[in-house]
Amino acid sequence: MTAFLLVAPLPGALAQCPTTATWRTEMGGSNLSPVGVHPLQPRSFVSSPTTRRVEALDDETGTFPAAYAAPTLGAGVESTPMVVRLSNGAWRVFVAAGDGRVHAIDTDNGTVLWSRDLRRPTCSTDTLTAPPAIVLRSVCASYPACAMPAGASGPDTDIVLVGTRFGCNTTSDNRVVALRADTGVPVWAFNATRTDKVDYISEGAALDYSRNRIYVGTGRRVSNDNSLFALAITTGAKLWARNVGRIETTPKLSYSATLTSRLYVATLQGTVRAVRPDTGQDVWSPATVSVGAPVSVNLGYRGQSTAMGDRLFAVAPVSGTVSAIRDNGSSATVLWTLTPSAHFGGALAKSAPAVYESSTTGVRALYVGMSDGTVRQIRPPEALTASGVTLTSRLVDVGRGIVGDALVDLSSAFDNPRLMVGDNAGYVSRWCIPW
Amino acid sequence: MVRIVGPMRLAAVALCVGACQQRGALSLDSAGRGLAAVRVSEGPAGAESTRFSLYEVNDVLVDVSWAPPIEDAAGTQILEIYSPDGAVYREERGPAGWPMRCTLPVAGTNISRHGIAGRWWAELRVEGEGPPVAAVEFEIAADTLVDE
C-alpha cells in the first residue's frame, strides 16, 4: 500500500540530498507497511507485527516523544496506523490489529481511547490486517451525493471502516464494518448475515465521496466468488460486485483530468484492469494487461499532472519486477518492465511503488523497496521505455533484508520532500529526495 | 536485534535440530526441564507439514511442546520465527517448560503482499541460557496461481 500527500507548493529550488539517511531509528520489529503520517501532524506512527506496539516518532529527529507511551496491543499489527484529524478537531491514530480489534489511540500520549472486538464468538483467531479507512463528515458534506450513516449522528461524527480477515479457514464470512470514530460503536456491517461470499480483506477500502461509496477487494480463494465490491457509505448496502480475480491491494480511483473516471484493480494473478466506478464494468478492451509472473501487484498512481495522469506503476514482488502501464483510455499498454537480472543486479522489487512529483520543479521519481536492503529511485517514471530511466540506489537496511513500502511525505515543504521507509530488520528511516 | 547472515543461520539451525534429537526423549536438562520440540502445521487443525502455499494457507501454526510436561516452570522461553532474509518476524514469550503456540498469519498479510517466500525457520530458546533448545525449518512457497 502506498500513500502520498500534497500541500501548496512553495517557491525555491530543490537542495542537493546527502547519500545518507536524515535519521534511522530502531523500532525492534518488522516494519514493512507505510508509516502513518498526516501533513499537519508533527509525528509519524509506526506499527509492527513483531512488537505489537504502536510507536510515535518525531518527524524531524526520528526520536520517541517523551510524552507518548506506546501502547502494546493484543497481537501484532500488519497495516499502516491511520493518522486522522477528526471533524471535531481531535487527533487520533486508528489501528486494525491481529487481535481482531480496532483501536483508537490518542496521538499525544498513546492512550487507547476505545477498542472494538470484531471477532466472531466462534473463532478466537479472527484477525484484522487491512488498515482502517476513515470517512470524515466534514469532507462528506462537500459532496452532494455523500450522506453519513444515521447511526453516526452529530455534527462532528466520523466513521471508521474496517474489512476483516477471519480465521478458522473461512473463505466466505468476512465483513466490512463501520464504527463511530468517537466511541467505536458499530453503525453498520456488510455481510454480517453471510448473504454474500466474502473472503479475506487485506487492504483498506478506496473512498469515493462523490458517489457515496467505497470499493473493497478480497482474496477470493473460491474461484467463482466475487472479489470486488462497491458498498454505500450510508448503509453498507452492496451496490455492485464482480469477480475480477484475487485482490490484495487497495483499488485506486483515477484523478486524471483527461480520462473518464475509473477504478484500477490489481490481482494476485498479475493482471491490472480498469472498471467503471458506477457499474463495475470493464473500461479497457482487452480488459486486462499482464505485468508478468502471476504474483501480487501493487499500484502507485499519480494523476495530478498531464505527464503522469495516465500512468500506473506495478510491482510484482515474487518475480521482483517493476512495470509502467499507460492508460490509453479504452485500452492499456505496458510501456516497460524492469527486471532483477537486467536492472537490479539480481535484487527483487518487493514493495509498493511510491511516486514523487514536484509541481514547482517538474521533477518526478518512483521509489521501490527491494530485497537487498535498498530503495531504488527510478527517474523519470513517465519514460516510454526501460532504456529511458535512470536508476539510483540507497542502502536503507545495512543487514540487506527486505525493505517495505516507502512513503513520499511532502508535509514539511515542497522544497524539502522526504522519503520514509521501514524494513524487515526493524528500522524506520527518513531520506531527503530526490537523489 | 542480532541477525546472522542466512546461510550461517541455517547451518546453526541444522546443528541445533540434530543436537536436540540426540538428547533422548525423557532426558532432563540442568534446569529440570524436559526435551523441547517445535512443530509447524496449517491452522486451524491441519496436519503437521513443512511446506505451505503463499497464496492459499491462512495461518501457519508453530507449536512448542516439552516431554515430559513441566509443572513448575523456571525462566522464560522465547519462540522466534525468522523470515528468509534473516529477520525476526514474529516472537512469542511464555514460561519455560510449558506448551506454547505462535500463529503466523500468511494469506492477506505482509508475507503475501511482499512475496516473502522461501525458507523460514523457528527457534526456541530459554532466556539467558545460550543456544536454541529446539528449532524447525519450513517453506512458504510461491506456487503459481492459475490465471483467469
Coordinates of all heavy atoms in Angstrom, one line a residue, chain B residues 19-67:
Chain B
A19 N 21.3 -31.8 17.4 CA 21.8 -32.0 18.8 C 20.6 -32.3 19.6 O 20.6 -33.1 20.5 CB 22.5 -30.7 19.2
C20 N 19.4 -31.6 19.4 CA 18.3 -31.8 20.2 C 17.8 -33.2 20.1 O 17.3 -33.9 21.0 CB 17.2 -30.8 19.9 SG 17.6 -29.1 20.2
Q21 N 17.8 -33.8 18.9 CA 17.3 -35.1 18.7 C 18.2 -36.2 19.4 O 17.7 -37.2 19.7 CB 17.3 -35.4 17.2 CG 16.2 -34.7 16.4 CD 16.3 -34.8 14.9 OE1 17.4 -35.2 14.4 NE2 15.3 -34.6 14.2
Q22 N 19.4 -35.8 19.6 CA 20.3 -36.8 20.3 C 20.2 -36.8 21.8 O 20.7 -37.7 22.4 CB 21.7 -36.5 19.9 CG 22.0 -36.8 18.4 CD 23.4 -36.2 18.0 OE1 24.2 -35.8 18.8 NE2 23.6 -36.1 16.7
R23 N 19.4 -35.9 22.3 CA 19.3 -35.8 23.8 C 18.5 -36.9 24.4 O 18.6 -37.1 25.6 CB 18.8 -34.4 24.2 CG 19.8 -33.3 24.0 CD 19.2 -32.0 24.2 NE 18.8 -31.8 25.6 CZ 18.0 -30.8 26.0 NH1 17.6 -29.9 25.2 NH2 17.6 -30.7 27.3
G24 N 17.6 -37.5 23.7 CA 16.8 -38.5 24.2 C 15.4 -38.0 24.7 O 15.3 -36.9 25.2
A25 N 14.4 -38.7 24.5 CA 13.0 -38.2 24.7 C 12.7 -37.9 26.2 O 12.0 -37.0 26.5 CB 12.0 -39.2 24.2
L26 N 13.4 -38.6 27.1 CA 13.0 -38.4 28.5 C 14.1 -37.7 29.4 O 14.1 -37.7 30.6 CB 12.6 -39.7 29.2 CG 11.3 -40.3 28.5 CD1 11.0 -41.7 29.2 CD2 10.1 -39.4 28.6
S27 N 15.1 -37.2 28.7 CA 16.2 -36.6 29.5 C 15.8 -35.2 30.0 O 15.0 -34.6 29.4 CB 17.5 -36.5 28.6 OG 17.2 -35.6 27.5
L28 N 16.4 -34.8 31.1 CA 16.1 -33.5 31.7 C 17.3 -32.7 31.6 O 18.5 -33.2 31.7 CB 15.7 -33.6 33.1 CG 14.4 -34.4 33.4 CD1 14.1 -34.5 34.9 CD2 13.2 -33.8 32.7
D29 N 17.2 -31.4 31.3 CA 18.3 -30.5 31.3 C 18.6 -30.1 32.7 O 18.0 -30.4 33.6 CB 18.2 -29.4 30.3 CG 17.0 -28.4 30.7 OD1 16.5 -28.5 31.9 OD2 16.7 -27.6 29.9
S30 N 19.7 -29.3 32.8 CA 20.2 -28.9 34.1 C 19.1 -28.1 34.9 O 19.2 -28.0 36.1 CB 21.5 -28.1 34.0 OG 21.3 -27.0 33.2
A31 N 18.2 -27.4 34.2 CA 17.2 -26.6 34.9 C 16.0 -27.5 35.2 O 15.0 -26.9 35.7 CB 16.8 -25.4 34.0
G32 N 16.0 -28.8 35.0 CA 14.9 -29.6 35.4 C 13.8 -29.6 34.3 O 12.7 -30.1 34.6
R33 N 14.1 -29.2 33.1 CA 13.1 -29.2 32.1 C 13.3 -30.4 31.2 O 14.4 -31.0 31.1 CB 13.1 -28.0 31.2 CG 12.7 -26.7 32.0 CD 12.8 -25.5 31.1 NE 14.2 -25.2 30.8 CZ 14.9 -24.3 31.4 NH1 14.4 -23.6 32.4 NH2 16.2 -24.1 31.0
G34 N 12.3 -30.9 30.4 CA 12.4 -32.0 29.5 C 12.9 -31.5 28.1 O 13.4 -30.5 28.0
L35 N 12.7 -32.4 27.2 CA 13.1 -32.2 25.8 C 12.1 -31.3 25.1 O 10.9 -31.7 25.1 CB 13.3 -33.5 25.1 CG 13.8 -33.4 23.7 CD1 15.3 -32.9 23.7 CD2 13.8 -34.8 23.0
A36 N 12.5 -30.3 24.5 CA 11.6 -29.4 23.8 C 11.5 -29.8 22.3 O 12.5 -30.3 21.7 CB 12.1 -27.9 23.9
A37 N 10.4 -29.5 21.7 CA 10.2 -29.7 20.3 C 9.4 -28.6 19.7 O 8.5 -28.0 20.4 CB 9.5 -31.0 20.0
V38 N 9.7 -28.2 18.5 CA 8.9 -27.2 17.7 C 8.4 -27.8 16.5 O 9.2 -28.4 15.7 CB 9.8 -26.0 17.4 CG1 9.0 -24.9 16.7 CG2 10.4 -25.4 18.7
R39 N 7.1 -27.7 16.3 CA 6.5 -28.3 15.1 C 5.6 -27.3 14.4 O 5.1 -26.3 15.0 CB 5.6 -29.5 15.5 CG 6.5 -30.6 16.1 CD 5.6 -31.9 16.4 NE 6.4 -33.0 16.8 CZ 6.8 -33.2 18.1 NH1 6.4 -32.3 19.0 NH2 7.6 -34.2 18.4
V40 N 5.4 -27.4 13.1 CA 4.6 -26.5 12.3 C 3.5 -27.2 11.6 O 3.6 -28.4 11.2 CB 5.4 -25.7 11.3 CG1 6.2 -24.6 11.9 CG2 6.2 -26.6 10.4
S41 N 2.3 -26.6 11.5 CA 1.2 -27.2 10.9 C 0.3 -26.0 10.3 O 0.6 -24.9 10.6 CB 0.4 -28.0 11.8 OG -0.1 -27.2 12.9
E42 N -0.7 -26.4 9.5 CA -1.5 -25.4 8.9 C -2.8 -25.3 9.8 O -3.4 -26.3 10.2 CB -2.0 -25.8 7.5 CG -2.9 -24.8 6.8 CD -3.1 -25.1 5.4 OE1 -2.4 -25.9 4.8 OE2 -4.1 -24.6 4.8
G43 N -3.1 -24.0 10.2 CA -4.3 -23.8 11.0 C -5.6 -24.0 10.3 O -5.6 -24.0 9.1
P44 N -6.7 -24.2 11.0 CA -6.8 -24.3 12.5 C -6.4 -25.7 13.0 O -6.1 -25.8 14.2 CB -8.2 -23.9 12.8 CG -9.0 -24.4 11.6 CD -8.1 -24.2 10.4
A45 N -6.6 -26.7 12.3 CA -6.3 -28.1 12.8 C -5.7 -29.0 11.8 O -6.1 -30.1 11.6 CB -7.6 -28.7 13.3
G46 N -4.8 -28.4 11.0 CA -4.2 -29.2 9.9 C -3.1 -30.1 10.3 O -2.7 -30.1 11.5
A47 N -2.7 -31.0 9.4 CA -1.7 -31.9 9.7 C -0.3 -31.2 9.8 O -0.1 -30.1 9.2 CB -1.7 -33.0 8.6
E48 N 0.6 -31.8 10.5 CA 2.0 -31.3 10.5 C 2.6 -31.3 9.2 O 2.4 -32.2 8.4 CB 2.8 -32.2 11.5 CG 4.2 -31.6 11.8 CD 4.9 -32.4 12.9 OE1 4.2 -33.1 13.7 OE2 6.1 -32.3 12.9
S49 N 3.3 -30.2 8.8 CA 3.8 -30.1 7.5 C 5.0 -29.1 7.6 O 5.2 -28.4 8.6 CB 2.8 -29.5 6.5 OG 3.3 -29.3 5.2
T50 N 5.8 -29.1 6.5 CA 6.9 -28.2 6.5 C 6.9 -27.4 5.2 O 7.9 -26.7 4.8 CB 8.3 -28.8 6.6 OG1 8.4 -29.9 5.6 CG2 8.5 -29.4 8.0
R51 N 5.8 -27.4 4.4 CA 5.6 -26.7 3.2 C 4.2 -26.1 3.1 O 3.3 -26.9 3.3 CB 5.9 -27.6 2.0 CG 6.0 -26.8 0.7 CD 6.2 -27.7 -0.5 NE 6.5 -26.9 -1.7 CZ 5.5 -26.4 -2.5 NH1 4.3 -26.5 -2.2 NH2 5.9 -25.7 -3.6
F52 N 4.1 -24.8 2.8 CA 2.9 -24.1 2.8 C 2.8 -23.2 1.6 O 3.8 -22.7 1.2 CB 2.7 -23.3 4.1 CG 2.8 -24.1 5.3 CD1 4.1 -24.1 6.0 CD2 1.8 -24.8 5.9 CE1 4.3 -24.9 7.1 CE2 2.0 -25.6 7.0 CZ 3.2 -25.6 7.6
S53 N 1.6 -23.0 1.0 CA 1.4 -22.2 -0.1 C 1.3 -20.7 0.3 O 0.4 -20.4 1.2 CB 0.2 -22.6 -0.9 OG -0.1 -21.6 -1.9
L54 N 2.0 -19.9 -0.3 CA 2.0 -18.4 0.0 C 0.6 -17.9 -0.2 O 0.2 -17.0 0.5 CB 3.0 -17.7 -0.9 CG 3.1 -16.2 -0.8 CD1 3.6 -15.8 0.6 CD2 3.9 -15.6 -1.9
Y55 N -0.2 -18.4 -1.2 CA -1.4 -17.8 -1.5 C -2.7 -18.5 -1.0 O -3.8 -18.1 -1.2 CB -1.5 -17.6 -3.1 CG -0.4 -16.7 -3.6 CD1 0.5 -17.2 -4.5 CD2 -0.3 -15.4 -3.2 CE1 1.5 -16.4 -4.9 CE2 0.7 -14.6 -3.7 CZ 1.6 -15.1 -4.5 OH 2.6 -14.3 -5.0
E56 N -2.4 -19.7 -0.4 CA -3.6 -20.5 0.0 C -3.7 -20.6 1.5 O -4.8 -20.7 2.0 CB -3.5 -21.9 -0.7 CG -3.6 -21.8 -2.2 CD -4.8 -21.2 -2.7 OE1 -5.9 -21.3 -2.1 OE2 -4.8 -20.7 -3.9
V57 N -2.6 -20.7 2.2 CA -2.7 -21.0 3.6 C -3.1 -19.8 4.4 O -2.6 -18.7 4.2 CB -1.3 -21.6 4.1 CG1 -0.2 -20.5 4.1 CG2 -1.5 -22.1 5.6
N58 N -4.0 -19.9 5.3 CA -4.4 -18.8 6.1 C -3.4 -18.5 7.2 O -2.9 -17.4 7.3 CB -5.8 -19.1 6.7 CG -6.7 -17.9 6.7 OD1 -6.8 -17.3 5.7 ND2 -7.4 -17.7 7.8
D59 N -3.2 -19.6 8.0 CA -2.2 -19.4 9.2 C -1.3 -20.6 9.2 O -1.7 -21.7 9.0 CB -3.0 -19.3 10.5 CG -4.0 -18.2 10.5 OD1 -3.6 -17.1 10.2 OD2 -5.2 -18.4 10.9
V60 N -0.1 -20.4 9.6 CA 0.9 -21.4 9.9 C 1.0 -21.4 11.4 O 1.2 -20.4 12.1 CB 2.3 -21.2 9.3 CG1 3.3 -22.1 9.8 CG2 2.2 -21.3 7.8
L61 N 0.8 -22.6 12.0 CA 0.8 -22.7 13.5 C 2.2 -23.3 13.9 O 2.6 -24.3 13.3 CB -0.3 -23.6 14.0 CG -1.7 -23.2 13.6 CD1 -2.7 -24.2 14.1 CD2 -2.0 -21.8 14.0
V62 N 2.9 -22.6 14.8 CA 4.1 -23.1 15.3 C 3.9 -23.4 16.8 O 3.6 -22.6 17.6 CB 5.2 -22.0 15.1 CG1 6.6 -22.6 15.6 CG2 5.3 -21.5 13.7
D63 N 4.1 -24.7 17.1 CA 3.8 -25.2 18.4 C 5.0 -25.7 19.1 O 5.8 -26.4 18.6 CB 2.8 -26.4 18.3 CG 1.4 -25.9 18.0 OD1 0.8 -25.0 18.7 OD2 0.9 -26.3 16.9
V64 N 5.1 -25.3 20.4 CA 6.2 -25.8 21.3 C 5.6 -26.8 22.2 O 4.5 -26.6 22.8 CB 6.7 -24.6 22.1 CG1 7.7 -25.1 23.1 CG2 7.4 -23.6 21.2
S65 N 6.3 -27.9 22.4 CA 5.9 -28.9 23.4 C 7.2 -29.3 24.1 O 8.3 -29.2 23.6 CB 5.3 -30.1 22.7 OG 6.2 -30.7 21.8
W66 N 6.9 -29.8 25.3 CA 8.0 -30.3 26.2 C 7.7 -31.8 26.6 O 6.5 -32.0 27.0 CB 8.2 -29.5 27.4 CG 8.8 -28.1 27.1 CD1 8.1 -27.0 26.6 CD2 10.1 -27.7 27.2 NE1 8.9 -25.9 26.5 CE2 10.2 -26.3 26.9 CE3 11.3 -28.3 27.7 CZ2 11.4 -25.6 26.9 CZ3 12.5 -27.6 27.7 CH2 12.5 -26.2 27.3
A67 N 8.6 -32.6 26.6 CA 8.4 -34.0 27.1 C 9.6 -34.4 28.1 O 10.7 -34.4 27.7 CB 8.5 -35.0 25.9

